[in-house]
Amino acid sequence: MSERERMKVVISLGGIFFSDVEKIKKIAAVFDELAQLNNLCVVTGGGEGAREYIKLARELGANEVFCDYIGIALTRINAKLLISALKNVYPEPFLDYKEAALAKANDSGKIAVMGGVSPGYTTDAVAAILAEYLDADLLVNVTSVDGIYGADPRKYPNARKYDKLSPKELVALTMKEELKAGSRIVIDPVAAKIIERSGIKTIVIDGSNPRNIVDAVHGKHQGTEIL
Ligand code: UTP
C-alpha cells in the first residue's frame, strides 16, 4: 500500500480491560487514534463480571446455554462502557453481524462496537466471524498474555510461546480446551476454525500497554502471528 489505504481491522478486546476507568480511557484513546487511519470494529469480552454471574447462575441450576446468554449480556454491558469512552462511535452495540456489516458498508470513520452474539462460543469467535464477513485485512486479539503458549503460562511458567502458528496448528492447540460458559482460554476453538477457513491474518497480543495495539496494526508486535 503506497498512499496507505484504510485497512479493515477487527479487534477482540478481552474483558480484563474493563476492570477500571483509567484502563478503559487509555484503550478508548488508542481506538479513536486507530480509527483515523483504519476502518475499525471492536468486539468486547465479558471479563470477571461475566464469570461471576455465570458461576452464580450455574450454582442456581442454570444450564450452559443459559449461562452463555448471561455471558453475552455482560459482554454487551462492556460494549456500552467502551462506547461511553469513545469519541467517534456508533451509539449502541451491534447485536448481530449483519447489522454491523450494513453500518460498515460505507466507511463513515465511526467505530462499530459489539459484544457476544450466540451461545456456544466466545467473543473471540464473534470477532473472527465479523472479520470474515467484512473481509477484514487484520484480526487482532488483545488479551492479558503476550501471545499463544503451548499451556497456560500463568500455571506453567516453562510453557513454550509461539511467535508464529499456522491456522492448522492453532486449531490443534485450541481443540484441547474445554468450551464451558465463562471458561478461560486465549482463543476459543470456534474462533480457531473460523480463522483457519477464512485465512484471515490474526495477531494475538498483550494489551496491558495499549500502545501495543497501535504497533500491532502497523505491523510491529511481540505476540503470536497466525498466518
Ligand atoms: P468472553 O468472550 O468474554 O469469554 O465471553 P472469554 O474470551 O473466555 O473471556 P475474556 O473476557 O476474553 O477474558 C464470556 C462468556 O460469554 C458467553 C460464553 O459463556 C463466554 O464464556 N458468550 C460470549 C457466548 O456464549 N457467546 C458469545 O457470542 C459471546
Side-chain angles (χ1 to χ4, degrees):
M1 286 180 214
S2 45
E3 249 312 291
R4 188 181 177 284
E5 279 172 39
R6 285 170 72 79
M7 282 205 314
K8 267 189 229 164
V9 181
V10 176
I11 293 179
S12 172
L13 180 65
I16 193 155
F17 300 102
F18 292 89
S19 56
D20 74 69
V21 167
E22 286 314 311
K23 267 190 203 159
I24 303 174
K25 275 190 187 165
K26 278 193 191 136
I27 293 229
V30 157
F31 290 156
D32 276 323
E33 178 185 332
L34 277 173
Q36 289 174 15
L37 292 178
N38 304 279
N39 186 348
L40 193 66
C41 295
V42 182
V43 182
T44 51
E48 277 313 309
R51 275 187 275 273
E52 249 175 72
Y53 276 91
I54 286 170
K55 182 169 172 280
L56 288 174
R58 200 178 275 132
E59 282 170 17
L60 291 167
N63 63 34
E64 289 304 304
V65 175
F66 200 89
C67 290
D68 280 341
Y69 276 119
I70 289 180
I72 291 169
L74 270 293
T75 63
R76 289 177 175 168
I77 298 277
N78 283 344
K80 290 197 183 213
L81 287 180
L82 182 62
I83 288 171
S84 310
L86 286 167
K87 291 201 177 83
N88 199 9
V89 62
Y90 288 98
E92 284 289 330
F94 290 97
L95 303 181
D96 72 27
Y97 307 104
K98 284 188 186 170
E99 270 185 20
L102 284 171
K104 278 292 188 182
N106 293 316
D107 179 9
S108 64
K110 281 190 192 162
I111 302 171
V113 182
M114 65 191 282
V117 175
S118 43
Y121 50 67
T122 76
T123 47
D124 295 338
V126 173
I129 293 168
L130 185 63
E132 181 175 28
Y133 196 28
L134 297 176
D135 290 320
D137 301 290
L138 181 65
L139 171 62
V140 186
N141 192 297
V142 181
T143 173
S144 55
V145 283
D146 63 348
I148 295 180
Y149 285 76
D152 185 345
R154 290 163 293 205
K155 282 194 222 149
Y156 305 95
N158 294 327
R160 172 182 170 199
K161 180 185 161 194
Y162 297 95
D163 295 329
K164 283 195 167 44
L165 273 178
S166 69
K168 223 178 171 170
E169 289 168 324
L170 178 72
V171 169
L173 267 179
T174 56
M175 282 302 163
K176 293 187 277 183
E177 305 287 351
E178 188 180 44
L179 196 64
K180 283 179 90 170
S183 63
R184 244 175 228 280
I185 42 180
V186 178
I187 284 213
D188 85 55
V190 179
K193 287 299 281 183
I194 301 286
I195 290 167
E196 183 188 36
R197 79 173 189 186
S198 65
I200 189 158
K201 180 177 171 181
T202 304
I203 296 169
V204 180
I205 55 161
D206 177 8
S208 311
N209 174 1
R211 297 304 306 171
N212 289 349
I213 307 172
V214 179
D215 289 346
V217 172
H218 295 152
K220 280 184 292 169
H221 69 88
Q222 313 215 307
T224 300
E225 190 163 318
I226 300 133
L227 244 194

